[in-house]
Amino acid sequence: MTVKTIFTTGEAARICKVSQQTIIRCFDSGQLKGFRVPGSRFRRIPREQLFTFMRDNGIPTDSLDSGKRKVLVVDDDAGLVELICDVLERDGRFETKFVNNGFDAGMMVRESRPDLIILDVMLPDINGKEVCVRIRNDVNLENVRIICISGMVEKDKIAELKAAGADDFLAKPFDTDVLIERICRLLEVETFV
């Protein structure tokens, strides 16, 4: 895998988990060093400048270091968690962590700032809808994507989850290829043809 050395403001925003406008403001004020593409208004940020900016502002640099997208799996079914983590790790584009309850999910989301959460709706301590609401109410987590998974597939319940902030829903059991395709779409990662 080649390491990217120059980033657009949109790419830098995704890596830093902030809005593109924030990156542009920091660039224009000189907080974030880079250059403009000659003859255009496009801004470009070299990797080492982005790293310095992230470090100086307390933004975790691990997503820049590995180039992999971070996925948090939240489910109390150990077999399913193992399957999902194994499939994503073997894919090579994702770094996974997992927890088996809503409380730990809340702690892990704040600590590791994943790009995407695969969230079981029926957790032992809290339901997935409540987890969605809490994540969506935290301005620091606005870019986190959420895919809810569940054995229950009542249309009104799925609509409630999406209204609470879920980006997508998959009914259990699901095909792991479908899961990867949905993750790639939500994270705007290129899919393999």
Side-chain angles (χ1 to χ4, degrees), residues 5 32 34 62 104 110 122 135 173 182 185:
T5 56
L32 177 55
D62 50 354
D104 289 345
R110 282 182 188 80
M122 307 301 275
I135 289 170
R182 301 274 184 95
R185 192 180 70 220

Side-chain angles (χ1 to χ4, degrees), residues 152-168:
M152 66 98 194
V153 286
E154 298 153 30
K155 292 262 187 277
D156 60 329
K157 294 276 189 257
I158 296 169
E160 283 177 25
L161 287 167
K162 289 193 173 177
D167 295 289
D168 205 343

Side-chain angles (χ1 to χ4, degrees), residues 113-125:
R113 293 275 188 71
D115 295 295
L116 183 134
I117 301 169
I118 298 170
L119 176 66
D120 182 22
V121 175
M122 307 301 275
L123 295 168
D125 58 342

Side-chain angles (χ1 to χ4, degrees), residues 83-94 176 180 192:
L83 171 72
I84 293 171
C85 289
D86 185 50
V87 165
L88 293 179
E89 292 285 342
R90 274 187 298 149
D91 179 281
R93 296 175 289 176
F94 307 101
T176 53
I180 287 179
F192 297 133

Side-chain angles (χ1 to χ4, degrees), residues 1 16 22 39 57 66 80-81 87 92 95-97 103 107 112 148 152 159 162 179-180 182 188:
M1 188 173 135
C16 294
T22 299
N57 289 283
S66 72
L80 183 60
V81 167
V87 165
E95 185 182 297
T96 61
K97 292 188 176 180
F103 178 79
M107 301 292 285
S112 73
C148 285
M152 66 98 194
K162 289 193 173 177
L179 176 65
I180 287 179
R182 301 274 184 95
E188 296 172 10

